[in-house]
Amino acid sequence: MAKNHIIDPRPDLPLFERGESHTLVARDIVQTFLDDGNNEVRAIEGFSLEVSGDEVVGIIGPSGCGKSTFLRLVVGLDEPLAGTLEFDGEPITGPDAQRSMVFQNANLFEWLTVEDNIAFGLKATGCYKEKCYKIPRLIEMMGLQGFEKSYPSQISGGMASRCGLARAFVMNPGLICFDEPLSALDAFTRATLQDEIIKMQQAAHASIILVTHDIEEAVYLCDRVVVMTERPGTNKGELAIDLPHPRDRVSDEFVEKRRQLLELLNR
Ligand SMILES: Nc1ncnc2c1ncn2[C@@H]1O[C@H](COP(=O)(O)OP(=O)(O)O)[C@@H](O)[C@H]1O
Ligand SMILES: [Mg+2]
Protein backbone atom coordinates (compact mmCIF):
# COMPACT_ATOMS: atom_id res chain seq x y z
CA MET A 1 0.00 0.00 0.00
CA ALA A 2 1.28 3.51 -0.76
CA LYS A 3 2.65 5.12 2.38
CA ASN A 4 0.16 7.95 2.52
CA HIS A 5 -2.87 6.19 1.16
CA ILE A 6 -6.05 7.55 2.71
CA ILE A 7 -9.19 5.49 3.01
CA ASP A 8 -12.12 7.81 2.44
CA PRO A 9 -15.09 6.57 4.49
CA ARG A 10 -17.61 8.66 2.54
CA PRO A 11 -16.50 9.00 -1.09
CA ASP A 12 -20.15 9.69 -1.99
CA LEU A 13 -20.22 13.00 -0.10
CA PRO A 14 -18.68 16.26 -1.37
CA LEU A 15 -15.94 17.92 0.69
CA PHE A 16 -17.81 21.21 0.50
CA GLU A 17 -21.59 21.41 0.38
CA ARG A 18 -22.62 24.04 -2.13
CA GLY A 19 -24.77 26.29 0.02
CA GLU A 20 -26.56 29.53 -0.66
CA SER A 21 -24.55 32.53 -1.76
CA HIS A 22 -23.75 34.88 1.13
CA THR A 23 -23.54 38.64 1.49
CA LEU A 24 -21.71 40.77 4.01
CA VAL A 25 -22.76 44.39 4.28
CA ALA A 26 -20.75 46.76 6.49
CA ARG A 27 -21.86 50.37 6.37
CA ASP A 28 -20.40 53.48 8.01
CA ILE A 29 -18.54 51.50 10.65
CA VAL A 30 -17.04 53.43 13.55
CA GLN A 31 -14.84 51.85 16.21
CA THR A 32 -12.93 53.49 19.05
CA PHE A 33 -10.58 52.34 21.79
CA LEU A 34 -9.15 53.88 24.93
CA ASP A 35 -5.38 54.29 24.93
CA ASP A 36 -3.10 53.95 27.97
CA GLY A 37 -3.92 57.51 29.06
CA ASN A 38 -7.67 56.80 28.82
CA ASN A 39 -7.96 58.99 25.71
CA GLU A 40 -10.32 57.91 22.95
CA VAL A 41 -8.58 56.57 19.82
CA ARG A 42 -10.69 56.54 16.68
CA ALA A 43 -9.58 53.36 14.91
CA ILE A 44 -12.20 53.26 12.12
CA GLU A 45 -14.40 56.15 10.99
CA GLY A 46 -17.17 55.51 8.47
CA PHE A 47 -15.68 52.51 6.68
CA SER A 48 -18.02 50.58 4.35
CA LEU A 49 -17.61 47.28 2.52
CA GLU A 50 -19.90 44.84 0.73
CA VAL A 51 -18.75 41.32 -0.16
CA SER A 52 -20.87 38.62 -1.76
CA GLY A 53 -20.84 35.31 -3.61
CA ASP A 54 -17.37 33.84 -3.99
CA GLU A 55 -15.55 37.15 -4.23
CA VAL A 56 -12.01 37.58 -2.95
CA VAL A 57 -11.73 41.14 -1.64
CA GLY A 58 -8.43 42.56 -0.44
CA ILE A 59 -8.02 45.28 2.18
CA ILE A 60 -4.78 47.17 2.12
CA GLY A 61 -3.81 50.25 4.12
CA PRO A 62 -1.20 51.75 6.44
CA SER A 63 -0.28 49.99 9.66
CA GLY A 64 -2.73 50.90 12.46
CA CYS A 65 -5.56 52.04 10.15
CA GLY A 66 -8.05 49.55 11.61
CA LYS A 67 -7.82 46.52 9.31
CA SER A 68 -7.63 43.91 12.09
CA THR A 69 -10.22 45.85 14.06
CA PHE A 70 -12.58 45.58 11.10
CA LEU A 71 -12.06 41.83 10.68
CA ARG A 72 -12.79 41.28 14.38
CA LEU A 73 -16.13 43.02 13.87
CA VAL A 74 -16.95 40.91 10.81
CA VAL A 75 -16.35 37.61 12.64
CA GLY A 76 -18.25 38.92 15.67
CA LEU A 77 -15.40 39.07 18.20
CA ASP A 78 -16.19 42.75 18.92
CA GLU A 79 -19.12 45.08 18.38
CA PRO A 80 -18.80 48.39 16.51
CA LEU A 81 -19.52 51.70 18.21
CA ALA A 82 -21.66 52.74 15.26
CA GLY A 83 -22.64 51.52 11.80
CA THR A 84 -24.42 48.56 10.26
CA LEU A 85 -22.92 45.07 10.04
CA GLU A 86 -25.08 42.43 8.43
CA PHE A 87 -24.49 38.92 7.10
CA ASP A 88 -27.25 37.62 4.83
CA GLY A 89 -29.49 40.43 6.01
CA GLU A 90 -29.13 39.60 9.73
CA PRO A 91 -27.20 41.81 12.17
CA ILE A 92 -23.88 40.29 13.26
CA THR A 93 -24.12 39.81 17.03
CA GLY A 94 -21.34 37.29 17.70
CA PRO A 95 -19.18 34.53 16.23
CA ASP A 96 -20.74 32.03 13.84
CA ALA A 97 -19.45 28.99 11.95
CA GLN A 98 -20.44 30.76 8.71
CA ARG A 99 -17.73 33.42 9.28
CA SER A 100 -14.24 32.24 10.14
CA MET A 101 -10.88 33.92 10.62
CA VAL A 102 -7.31 32.94 9.77
CA PHE A 103 -4.74 34.87 11.80
CA GLN A 104 -1.11 35.61 11.08
CA ASN A 105 1.15 32.60 11.89
CA ALA A 106 -1.90 30.33 11.62
CA ASN A 107 -2.48 30.59 15.41
CA LEU A 108 -2.87 26.83 15.81
CA PHE A 109 -3.76 25.29 19.16
CA GLU A 110 -0.33 24.18 20.38
CA TRP A 111 -1.77 21.41 22.56
CA LEU A 112 -3.66 19.75 19.70
CA THR A 113 -2.27 17.60 16.88
CA VAL A 114 -2.61 18.63 13.23
CA GLU A 115 -5.72 16.50 12.75
CA ASP A 116 -7.28 17.67 16.02
CA ASN A 117 -6.63 21.31 15.06
CA ILE A 118 -8.46 20.71 11.78
CA ALA A 119 -11.27 18.84 13.55
CA PHE A 120 -11.66 21.52 16.21
CA GLY A 121 -14.63 23.36 14.68
CA LEU A 122 -16.51 20.15 13.96
CA LYS A 123 -16.05 18.95 17.54
CA ALA A 124 -16.93 22.33 19.05
CA THR A 125 -20.21 22.42 17.14
CA GLY A 126 -21.12 18.79 17.70
CA CYS A 127 -20.95 17.69 14.07
CA TYR A 128 -17.70 15.72 14.21
CA LYS A 129 -19.38 12.32 13.91
CA GLU A 130 -21.35 13.38 10.87
CA LYS A 131 -18.54 15.29 9.10
CA CYS A 132 -15.28 13.64 10.22
CA TYR A 133 -14.82 12.15 6.73
CA LYS A 134 -13.66 15.66 5.74
CA ILE A 135 -10.55 15.51 7.90
CA PRO A 136 -8.49 12.99 5.87
CA ARG A 137 -9.53 14.70 2.64
CA LEU A 138 -8.45 18.13 3.87
CA ILE A 139 -5.19 16.62 5.13
CA GLU A 140 -4.57 15.14 1.69
CA MET A 141 -5.60 18.33 -0.12
CA MET A 142 -3.17 20.35 2.00
CA GLY A 143 -0.34 17.84 1.65
CA LEU A 144 -0.21 17.10 5.39
CA GLN A 145 -0.25 13.29 5.11
CA GLY A 146 2.13 11.71 7.59
CA PHE A 147 1.85 14.69 9.97
CA GLU A 148 -1.66 14.00 11.29
CA LYS A 149 -0.34 13.20 14.76
CA SER A 150 2.30 15.95 14.86
CA TYR A 151 1.95 18.97 17.12
CA PRO A 152 2.30 22.55 15.77
CA SER A 153 5.78 22.87 17.31
CA GLN A 154 6.91 19.89 15.22
CA ILE A 155 5.93 21.23 11.77
CA SER A 156 7.23 24.03 9.52
CA GLY A 157 5.63 27.47 9.19
CA GLY A 158 4.31 26.55 5.75
CA MET A 159 2.71 23.38 7.07
CA ALA A 160 1.21 25.29 9.97
CA SER A 161 -0.35 27.68 7.45
CA ARG A 162 -1.77 24.74 5.49
CA CYS A 163 -3.20 23.34 8.70
CA GLY A 164 -4.71 26.77 9.50
CA LEU A 165 -6.31 26.85 6.05
CA ALA A 166 -7.83 23.39 6.51
CA ARG A 167 -9.10 24.39 9.96
CA ALA A 168 -10.77 27.49 8.53
CA PHE A 169 -12.41 25.66 5.62
CA VAL A 170 -13.60 22.53 7.46
CA MET A 171 -16.80 24.24 8.61
CA ASN A 172 -17.70 25.14 5.02
CA PRO A 173 -17.99 28.84 5.95
CA GLY A 174 -19.56 31.38 3.63
CA LEU A 175 -16.92 33.97 4.47
CA ILE A 176 -13.33 33.67 5.63
CA CYS A 177 -11.35 36.64 6.92
CA PHE A 178 -7.57 36.40 6.50
CA ASP A 179 -5.48 38.74 8.64
CA GLU A 180 -2.04 38.92 6.97
CA PRO A 181 -1.99 35.12 6.97
CA LEU A 182 1.27 34.60 5.11
CA SER A 183 3.36 37.55 6.24
CA ALA A 184 5.72 35.43 8.39
CA LEU A 185 6.58 32.99 5.58
CA ASP A 186 9.51 33.07 3.16
CA ALA A 187 8.74 34.21 -0.40
CA PHE A 188 8.72 30.72 -1.93
CA THR A 189 6.43 29.19 0.71
CA ARG A 190 4.20 32.25 0.52
CA ALA A 191 3.75 31.87 -3.25
CA THR A 192 2.79 28.20 -2.84
CA LEU A 193 0.32 29.02 -0.07
CA GLN A 194 -1.27 31.74 -2.20
CA ASP A 195 -2.10 29.05 -4.76
CA GLU A 196 -3.49 26.83 -1.98
CA ILE A 197 -5.78 29.65 -0.81
CA ILE A 198 -7.21 30.04 -4.31
CA LYS A 199 -7.58 26.26 -4.69
CA MET A 200 -9.54 26.00 -1.43
CA GLN A 201 -11.60 29.11 -2.11
CA GLN A 202 -12.65 27.89 -5.56
CA ALA A 203 -13.55 24.44 -4.20
CA ALA A 204 -15.52 25.86 -1.27
CA HIS A 205 -17.14 28.80 -3.11
CA ALA A 206 -16.50 30.95 -0.06
CA SER A 207 -16.08 34.73 0.00
CA ILE A 208 -12.75 35.92 1.27
CA ILE A 209 -11.66 39.19 2.86
CA LEU A 210 -7.89 39.28 2.73
CA VAL A 211 -5.99 41.85 4.76
CA THR A 212 -2.44 42.05 3.48
CA HIS A 213 0.37 44.57 3.26
CA ASP A 214 1.80 42.80 0.22
CA ILE A 215 0.75 44.54 -2.99
CA GLU A 216 1.75 41.61 -5.17
CA GLU A 217 -0.24 39.21 -2.98
CA ALA A 218 -3.33 41.43 -3.28
CA VAL A 219 -3.05 41.59 -7.08
CA TYR A 220 -2.35 37.84 -7.31
CA LEU A 221 -5.34 36.76 -5.21
CA CYS A 222 -8.08 39.38 -5.22
CA ASP A 223 -11.01 40.21 -7.48
CA ARG A 224 -10.83 43.73 -6.09
CA VAL A 225 -8.79 45.56 -3.52
CA VAL A 226 -10.15 48.18 -1.12
CA VAL A 227 -7.61 50.76 0.01
CA MET A 228 -7.98 52.37 3.45
CA THR A 229 -6.75 55.75 4.64
CA GLU A 230 -4.45 56.36 7.62
CA ARG A 231 -6.18 56.03 11.02
CA PRO A 232 -9.03 56.58 11.52
CA GLY A 233 -9.40 54.15 8.63
CA THR A 234 -12.01 54.79 6.00
CA ASN A 235 -12.43 54.04 2.28
CA LYS A 236 -9.76 55.70 0.17
CA GLY A 237 -10.37 53.91 -3.11
CA GLU A 238 -10.85 50.61 -4.81
CA LEU A 239 -9.23 48.71 -7.67
CA ALA A 240 -10.89 45.92 -9.66
CA ILE A 241 -8.56 43.10 -10.75
CA ASP A 242 -10.40 41.24 -13.47
CA LEU A 243 -7.58 38.89 -14.51
CA PRO A 244 -8.23 35.11 -14.82
CA HIS A 245 -6.54 32.61 -12.48
CA PRO A 246 -3.85 31.37 -12.41
CA ARG A 247 -2.29 34.81 -12.73
CA ASP A 248 1.08 35.49 -14.25
CA ARG A 249 3.05 37.74 -11.93
CA VAL A 250 5.25 39.05 -14.72
CA SER A 251 2.58 39.69 -17.36
CA ASP A 252 2.05 43.28 -18.53
CA GLU A 253 -1.52 43.30 -17.16
CA PHE A 254 -0.36 42.11 -13.74
CA VAL A 255 2.44 44.64 -13.53
CA GLU A 256 0.03 47.38 -14.59
CA LYS A 257 -2.44 46.43 -11.82
CA ARG A 258 0.40 46.51 -9.29
CA ARG A 259 1.31 49.97 -10.48
CA GLN A 260 -2.31 51.17 -10.25
CA LEU A 261 -2.67 49.80 -6.72
CA LEU A 262 0.57 51.42 -5.58
CA GLU A 263 -0.56 54.72 -7.09
CA LEU A 264 -3.90 54.49 -5.25
CA LEU A 265 -2.11 53.78 -1.97
CA ASN A 266 0.23 56.73 -2.38
CA ARG A 267 -2.42 59.17 -3.56
N1 LIG B 1 -7.87 46.36 21.98
C1 LIG B 1 -7.38 47.57 21.70
N2 LIG B 1 -7.18 48.49 22.69
C2 LIG B 1 -6.70 49.72 22.39
N3 LIG B 1 -6.38 50.14 21.16
C3 LIG B 1 -6.53 49.26 20.14
C4 LIG B 1 -7.03 47.94 20.35
N4 LIG B 1 -7.08 47.29 19.15
C5 LIG B 1 -6.62 48.18 18.25
N5 LIG B 1 -6.31 49.35 18.82
C6 LIG B 1 -5.80 50.56 18.13
O1 LIG B 1 -6.64 50.79 17.00
C7 LIG B 1 -5.88 51.15 15.88
C8 LIG B 1 -6.12 50.17 14.75
O2 LIG B 1 -5.54 48.91 15.09
P1 LIG B 1 -5.55 47.65 14.11
O3 LIG B 1 -6.93 47.38 13.68
O4 LIG B 1 -4.83 46.56 14.80
O5 LIG B 1 -4.68 48.19 12.87
P2 LIG B 1 -4.12 47.42 11.57
O6 LIG B 1 -4.58 46.00 11.66
O7 LIG B 1 -4.70 48.16 10.40
O8 LIG B 1 -2.64 47.56 11.61
C9 LIG B 1 -4.43 51.22 16.35
O9 LIG B 1 -4.14 52.54 16.69
C10 LIG B 1 -4.42 50.32 17.54
O10 LIG B 1 -3.42 50.71 18.46
MG1 LIG C 1 -3.50 44.21 11.81
Side-chain angles (χ1 to χ4, degrees), residues 2-257:
K3 183 169 151 252
N4 292 327
H5 183 72
I6 284 176
I7 297 163
D8 192 333
R10 294 306 306 265
D12 53 319
L13 295 178
L15 175 56
F16 297 114
E17 300 87 15
R18 182 90 199 243
E20 303 281 295
S21 172
H22 301 278
T23 303
L24 170 84
V25 177
R27 216 167 271 139
D28 299 324
I29 301 298
V30 179
Q31 185 70 319
T32 59
F33 296 104
L34 293 177
D35 68 11
D36 297 342
N38 242 13
N39 304 305
E40 190 186 76
V41 176
R42 295 232 139 199
I44 306 181
E45 179 86 67
F47 180 66
S48 298
L49 182 71
E50 203 166 310
V51 180
S52 62
D54 45 13
E55 267 189 306
V56 181
V57 178
I59 298 182
I60 215 164
S63 175
C65 76
K67 303 180 294 293
S68 299
T69 300
F70 178 70
L71 293 189
R72 289 179 62 83
L73 300 175
V74 171
V75 296
L77 293 173
D78 292 322
E79 269 182 63
L81 181 70
T84 317
L85 259 179
E86 288 175 349
F87 190 68
D88 293 340
E90 299 287 325
I92 292 174
T93 54
D96 187 283
Q98 272 303 323
R99 291 170 274 116
S100 70
M101 174 97 112
V102 178
F103 296 93
Q104 194 181 342
N105 299 329
N107 242 23
L108 298 178
F109 303 120
E110 293 294 329
W111 61 93
L112 295 180
T113 61
V114 163
E115 65 182 4
D116 286 343
N117 262 285
I118 298 172
F120 183 81
L122 296 179
K123 288 183 177 168
T125 54
C127 42
Y128 179 73
K129 226 173 154 180
E130 185 194 344
K131 304 252 171 89
C132 62
Y133 66 90
K134 295 184 173 200
I135 308 294
R137 276 197 232 171
L138 283 165
I139 283 173
E140 187 171 32
M141 204 170 164
M142 289 291 100
L144 292 166
Q145 307 100 305
F147 294 89
E148 293 89 340
K149 307 287 181 203
S150 300
Y151 286 89
S153 61
Q154 300 171 313
I155 59 177
S156 69
M159 290 170 81
S161 293
R162 290 165 190 278
C163 184
L165 265 185
R167 186 178 63 175
F169 277 93
V170 74
M171 298 300 289
N172 210 13
L175 172 67
I176 306 186
C177 296
F178 286 89
D179 197 354
E180 308 198 15
L182 310 179
S183 54
L185 300 175
D186 63 86
F188 179 75
T189 310
R190 196 183 316 145
T192 318
L193 259 299
Q194 286 166 351
D195 290 332
E196 302 289 358
I197 289 176
I198 287 295
K199 181 169 91 177
M200 290 289 261
Q201 186 266 339
Q202 291 183 340
H205 299 285
S207 323
I208 285 181
I209 301 177
L210 173 76
V211 165
T212 178
H213 59 246
D214 183 338
I215 291 173
E216 179 178 300
E217 179 165 287
V219 175
Y220 190 69
L221 294 178
C222 300
D223 299 314
R224 62 192 163 92
V225 181
V226 172
V227 178
M228 289 178 80
T229 61
E230 298 262 355
R231 191 185 74 209
T234 191
N235 302 69
K236 183 174 187 182
E238 193 171 312
L239 181 71
I241 303 169
D242 42 7
L243 304 175
H245 290 285
R247 292 178 181 168
D248 176 359
R249 297 175 204 262
V250 293
S251 70
D252 291 347
E253 301 92 320
F254 192 96
V255 173
E256 173 59 16
K257 287 292 176 188

